[in-house]
Amino acid sequence: MSNFGEYSDSEVDRIMTGRPPSSYGSMHSDDDEDDDDDFKEPPQKQTETRLRLYRSESPETAITERTHTHQSSIYQDGPFLRQQSITHKEESFPTRYDRESMNLEQSELQSEVRTERAINEEPNDRDMEELHEIDLPEQQNESAAMEVREERTKEPDYDYDEIVLYFDEPKEPPPHPPPGSGLRFQHTHSSLTLRHVLTAMVNSLSRLHPADISYYKRSLSSHCRFRKNYPMIADLNDPLDLADKMIEVCGMGEALYLTVRNLQNIGKDDMAKILKKTCRRALLQYDLKIAHDRRYYSLYEGRCRPGQQRYISDVYVEPVTVIKGTREPINLENEVRRIPYTIQETEIRAADIFCPLPNDPKPIRTVMMTGIPACGLTVAVNKVIIDWMEGKTNQDFQFVFPLPAKELHHAKGGDLSFLETLSSYFAEAENIGFIEKEDCLSLFIIDALELCRHKLDFENNEIVTSARKKAPLDALLTSLIKGTLLPNARVWITSHVTAAYRIPPNLIDRFVELRGFTDDKKEEYFTKRTTDPELGRKVFNHMKRSKALEIICHLPLFSWMVAFIFERAFRDPEYGKHPPGITAFYSQYIVVQMNRSFEKYRGCSVEAQKWRDDDKTFIEMMGKMAYRMIQDGRDWFTVEDLISVNLTYEDLRSRDELTTEVKRASEDNRTWVFKFVHVTIQEYMACHVCICGI
């Protein structure tokens, strides 16, 4: 019995006689109201598919191959196809891709496209004659293809949340990247290439009825990019031309996103789902870049002040980054001790921290970047993220996931898998099991480790090896850093020196340190951050008149303070006749750093930002200790020195923006050695004690 109900097999055969092959651009069902006797056979003219375009720069789609190798017929309940032998052309995609595409298309259209073999329970005489006409080699090719498909269907249903289409990878290695480009030693993954995305978009659009194409374009015209320029797509009915124009106007990622959204708008949810899964990586990368653009493109210098943010590319000057050696991170130069601020270690760009050195080709997986407070660790992370988003550096990373340590404790309660944890921080990263694959290189950035509230117990925590296994967040973090979880990923950790000891050194492949500005970097910063370069040079020259300011401006935060104040002071034509005073700068620096510590450890509420009595006492007691240190002729202190002025280590840890740890001999904090971020800060606080008579 036929699937068409009242219509017999002979009736279907009669209609199929003389029916020419149909393209997907012209498929439609006849009206239900038409009677069998009134059915008119279509003309015998051969209909060419719209995707059969011989353009040297345009890929041939799998739909073109399908419409030219199947004979199709249209009747009341929809189209059905007669399977014939599948042939492959040399100029089309590789054979493996053709087989995968055919398998994908049949699974997509199984609810709409039915083969004649499913309609007729037993083949009639004409069908038997056609089967005998098929050549033996073609039968062997088809049977081999079916065997491959059967083997693939026997595999477990573990598709890593994406549909994989295979392409031939380039055999020649990519050119060696210039310094500062980061990881660019691999070719772009095939699922992130223009070829893959364009092919997937054309495959989806070519299955639409001409009326749906018009509906699709009207839905597309509601987007801001096409609202005023609708005529540019109004006359485009060819799927290839339409997809090409969308990519030309919007870019690859946004064009793919609009295609998925507009397919949903016109009621083609199944097609949108298949397209989304076929281009899952490209969509995730686009969504992540949009989210990073909103969050990291603007920068607050100093503290957050509404309306005072700046574009990071307009003010950022890269500090000196070195592969950590034996030298202390403190700049020992002052007005009396003229010690030149030279770099003795191996310099490296922040974008290149995962690149192996020429004499050491060992791959780098985990990097620890440390620095003193106010040296610009978080800003350096933001700049690397923006450069990746804009396609400038580290293009080997398919995805970049920043995980601020301050926000890690906000995760949902209970045990979660790593994939669920990611999706709780990034709504775009839902169902991304493919990050476990070897060909998916991702970067995870744990910024400000000193703010992490988790214990990070590397000895006793459960070892997690699968991103789908549920475990406590602390165990997920330790497994990620160890490399048992996502061993192919890269991990970048930034921290103050004190918190860096929470990670066992044997788990870190490279230690790097942010040192701040050299003299050349200072001048570049002062002239770059203002729209008037002449004003920037005037501020820089005026700053150099004070040797103390010139030295301490190696700290980016201090350079911002000096530039911010002098740029407004020079609005007065009479300003600049006398050398600048330094007392107000040091006072302001201490206030700003204390406020930043309140924001980090207490929160951003109004009550949390208020100064308490113990905060004022802390400043007074630190000044008293600094005065004793100068009397003893030393620039370092220990926990015992803190106890001598009625302070504890916890008081120092919660207000760590003025000091840094420089040495640790054991786990006993009484053996730890600390210093002020600069010797002039120590001198100023000691001087404050003498003036106030404390």
Side-chain angles (χ1 to χ4, degrees):
M1 182 177 179
S2 172
N3 290 343
F4 287 103
E6 58 180 333
Y7 302 103
S8 63
D9 296 340
S10 60
E11 185 73 12
V12 173
D13 293 335
R14 181 185 65 81
I15 296 173
M16 289 180 57
T17 304
R19 181 70 176 179
S22 172
S23 66
Y24 277 85
S26 60
M27 278 190 176
H28 62 88
S29 301
D30 297 330
D31 297 334
D32 296 338
E33 299 178 357
D34 294 343
D35 298 330
D36 295 344
D37 297 335
D38 297 335
F39 181 84
K40 296 182 180 180
E41 295 185 358
Q44 299 296 324
K45 183 178 179 180
Q46 182 73 19
T47 303
E48 287 292 330
T49 176
R50 290 172 178 165
L51 290 182
R52 196 64 171 178
L53 301 177
Y54 295 101
R55 304 180 183 177
S56 57
E57 70 277 5
S58 301
E60 183 175 331
T61 64
I63 290 299
T64 304
E65 195 69 23
R66 179 174 182 176
T67 54
H68 278 260
T69 54
H70 290 71
Q71 182 177 355
S72 59
S73 299
I74 306 297
Y75 201 63
Q76 182 174 354
D77 287 340
F80 56 91
L81 301 177
R82 171 178 299 147
Q83 292 184 342
Q84 294 181 356
S85 62
I86 303 174
T87 59
H88 306 284
K89 296 189 177 182
E90 296 180 358
E91 68 273 15
S92 61
F93 292 143
T95 304
R96 190 179 183 184
Y97 172 73
D98 287 336
R99 293 173 178 174
E100 192 71 21
S101 300
M102 295 295 299
N103 187 25
L104 171 63
E105 293 160 12
Q106 289 181 0
S107 63
E108 296 171 19
L109 301 179
Q110 61 182 357
S111 61
E112 299 179 3
V113 181
R114 288 167 290 184
T115 62
E116 185 182 2
R117 193 172 300 173
I119 297 176
N120 301 323
E121 295 181 357
E122 296 182 357
N124 53 29
D125 296 337
R126 187 173 60 84
D127 290 334
M128 295 300 296
E129 294 177 0
E130 290 181 359
L131 291 175
H132 285 299
E133 293 175 0
I134 300 177
D135 296 333
L136 180 61
E138 294 179 349
Q139 293 179 352
Q140 294 175 351
N141 292 339
E142 185 175 2
S143 61
M146 295 300 295
E147 290 177 0
V148 172
R149 293 171 188 169
E150 290 176 358
E151 292 177 359
R152 289 178 180 173
T153 56
K154 293 178 182 178
E155 296 178 358
D157 187 15
Y158 198 66
D159 63 351
Y160 295 95
D161 306 306
E162 66 173 346
I163 296 175
V164 181
L165 302 181
Y166 297 95
F167 296 89
D168 285 341
E169 297 291 342
K171 297 181 179 180
E172 298 182 358
H176 192 79
S181 299
L183 285 180
R184 281 192 175 183
F185 297 95
Q186 302 177 5
H187 288 287
T188 304
H189 192 270
S190 59
S191 64
L192 298 173
T193 59
L194 177 62
R195 175 188 183 184
H196 174 81
V197 173
L198 179 61
T199 301
M201 290 174 59
V202 173
N203 285 351
S204 298
L205 296 178
S206 61
R207 299 187 185 102
L208 296 177
H209 189 275
D212 292 332
I213 287 287
S214 300
Y215 189 17
Y216 174 88
K217 290 187 292 184
R218 287 196 299 271
S219 177
L220 189 63
S221 65
S222 63
H223 189 263
C224 60
R225 294 188 183 273
F226 297 97
R227 188 173 300 148
K228 296 182 179 180
N229 300 316
Y230 179 71
M232 72 171 59
I233 61 172
D235 298 331
L236 297 179
N237 295 318
D238 182 85
L240 181 59
D241 291 338
L242 183 57
D244 183 65
K245 178 58 69 173
M246 291 179 62
I247 294 177
E248 177 185 345
V249 173
C250 305
M252 184 180 73
E254 187 175 3
L256 178 59
Y257 167 77
L258 289 177
T259 303
V260 173
R261 192 185 71 173
N262 284 283
L263 286 175
Q264 294 172 342
N265 290 344
I266 65 176
K268 304 296 182 181
D269 293 337
D270 293 339
M271 296 173 61
K273 183 178 180 181
I274 294 297
L275 177 60
K276 185 176 181 179
K277 204 168 185 180
T278 305
C279 300
R280 188 68 182 90
R281 298 195 191 192
L283 277 174
L284 174 60
Q285 188 181 88
Y286 170 74
D287 291 337
L288 285 177
K289 288 183 176 182
I290 294 298
H292 295 343
D293 186 25
R294 290 194 300 264
R295 182 167 185 175
Y296 299 106
Y297 203 75
S298 59
L299 168 71
Y300 287 99
E301 296 180 289
R303 293 187 62 210
C304 296
R305 302 179 312 283
Q308 298 296 321
Q309 64 267 30
R310 302 281 301 276
Y311 289 123
I312 189 171
S313 300
D314 294 343
V315 298
Y316 180 79
V317 174
E318 184 176 354
V320 175
T321 307
V322 299
I323 297 179
K324 189 175 182 179
T326 58
R327 177 178 170 176
E328 294 181 359
I330 303 297
N331 182 9
L332 302 178
E333 184 182 8
N334 62 9
E335 292 180 289
V336 178
R337 303 167 62 184
R338 298 299 179 89
I339 303 175
Y341 184 51
T342 57
I343 304 300
Q344 301 173 355
E345 295 87 353
T346 303
E347 290 191 48
I348 189 172
R349 301 283 298 275
D352 294 335
I353 58 177
F354 288 97
C355 297
L357 296 177
N359 56 353
D360 187 11
K362 178 184 176 182
I364 306 298
R365 182 187 183 273
T366 307
V367 174
M368 171 68 75
M369 177 180 283
T370 59
I372 64 175
C375 69
L377 285 172
T378 299
V379 179
V381 169
N382 294 358
K383 179 60 176 174
V384 170
I385 294 174
I386 291 299
D387 287 343
W388 172 81
M389 181 203 72
E390 296 177 346
K392 296 179 181 178
T393 61
N394 288 302
Q395 293 306 291
D396 279 1
F397 292 127
Q398 298 178 23
F399 314 109
V400 175
F401 297 98
L403 301 174
K406 184 179 180 180
E407 302 175 5
L408 290 179
H409 65 279
H410 294 315
K412 300 177 181 178
D415 295 351
L416 298 174
S417 68
F418 190 76
L419 294 181
E420 293 172 340
T421 303
L422 270 185
S423 63
S424 65
Y425 290 106
F426 302 93
E428 307 86 0
E430 186 177 4
N431 299 326
I432 56 169
F434 51 80
I435 65 171
E436 294 187 272
K437 291 185 177 181
E438 294 183 359
D439 63 351
C440 185
L441 186 61
S442 304
L443 172 62
F444 296 90
I445 305 176
I446 303 176
D447 185 30
L449 184 65
E450 66 273 8
L451 302 179
C452 182
R453 301 183 184 180
H454 296 279
K455 296 181 179 180
L456 298 181
D457 189 352
F458 287 89
E459 295 183 359
N460 302 318
N461 275 349
E462 176 186 1
I463 298 178
V464 182
T465 58
S466 173
R468 302 174 186 266
K469 181 180 179 181
K470 293 187 177 182
L473 181 57
D474 191 57
L476 296 178
L477 291 175
T478 54
S479 299
L480 178 66
I481 297 173
K482 281 182 178 180
T484 59
L485 178 63
L486 303 180
N488 298 305
R490 300 292 187 268
V491 181
W492 180 11
I493 306 171
T494 67
S495 173
H496 288 175
V497 179
T498 301
Y501 289 99
R502 300 178 63 184
I503 310 296
N506 62 308
L507 300 179
I508 306 298
D509 297 317
R510 174 175 289 173
F511 291 89
V512 295
E513 190 174 310
L514 217 58
R515 286 289 174 83
F517 290 157
T518 59
D519 291 340
D520 295 337
K521 297 289 185 179
K522 296 173 189 175
E523 183 176 5
E524 181 183 356
Y525 175 78
F526 280 100
T527 55
K528 183 178 182 179
R529 73 177 310 277
T530 178
T531 56
D532 184 4
E534 186 63 30
L535 176 61
R537 282 187 289 269
K538 188 184 296 185
V539 170
F540 176 72
N541 293 331
H542 186 62
M543 178 270 298
K544 291 183 65 177
R545 297 174 68 181
S546 171
K547 188 62 180 177
L549 287 183
E550 182 182 5
I551 293 172
I552 199 172
C553 276
H554 78 283
L555 297 175
L557 180 65
F558 215 102
S559 294
W560 162 74
M561 290 174 48
V562 172
F564 184 83
I565 294 175
F566 282 173
E567 285 173 4
R568 284 151 182 77
F570 271 104
R571 295 173 181 174
D572 183 3
E574 300 297 325
Y575 187 80
K577 294 182 179 180
H578 305 286
I582 63 174
T583 303
F585 287 106
Y586 280 90
S587 300
Q588 187 67 23
Y589 177 80
I590 293 174
V591 172
V592 169
Q593 288 294 78
M594 289 292 291
N595 288 335
R596 283 161 57 92
S597 66
F598 300 160
E599 186 178 306
K600 288 169 57 177
Y601 295 103
R602 298 180 187 174
C604 299
S605 64
V606 176
E607 290 296 325
Q609 293 293 306
K610 290 182 178 180
W611 281 64
R612 305 170 183 171
D613 292 339
D614 56 344
D615 299 325
K616 300 175 184 178
T617 303
F618 174 81
I619 295 295
E620 294 173 356
M621 293 299 102
M622 289 295 290
K624 186 176 181 179
M625 185 185 67
Y627 181 70
R628 292 180 180 179
M629 291 165 56
I630 292 178
Q631 287 182 324
D632 296 340
R634 56 189 173 94
D635 60 353
W636 53 269
F637 64 93
T638 62
V639 175
E640 293 182 357
D641 295 316
L642 293 173
I643 297 175
S644 66
V645 292
N646 298 323
L647 294 177
T648 63
Y649 171 72
E650 288 300 322
D651 295 331
L652 182 69
R653 188 192 64 80
S654 60
R655 304 172 182 89
D656 61 352
E657 296 295 324
L658 299 177
T659 60
T660 184
E661 183 179 346
V662 296
K663 186 178 180 180
R664 178 179 293 195
S666 65
E667 293 298 324
D668 186 1
N669 60 13
R670 291 176 296 181
T671 63
W672 301 352
V673 179
F674 304 89
K675 285 186 177 183
F676 287 91
V677 293
H678 195 260
V679 65
T680 55
I681 300 293
Q682 174 190 346
E683 294 169 351
Y684 172 78
M685 297 189 72
C687 181
H688 175 73
V689 171
C690 294
I691 295 175
C692 297
I694 299 176

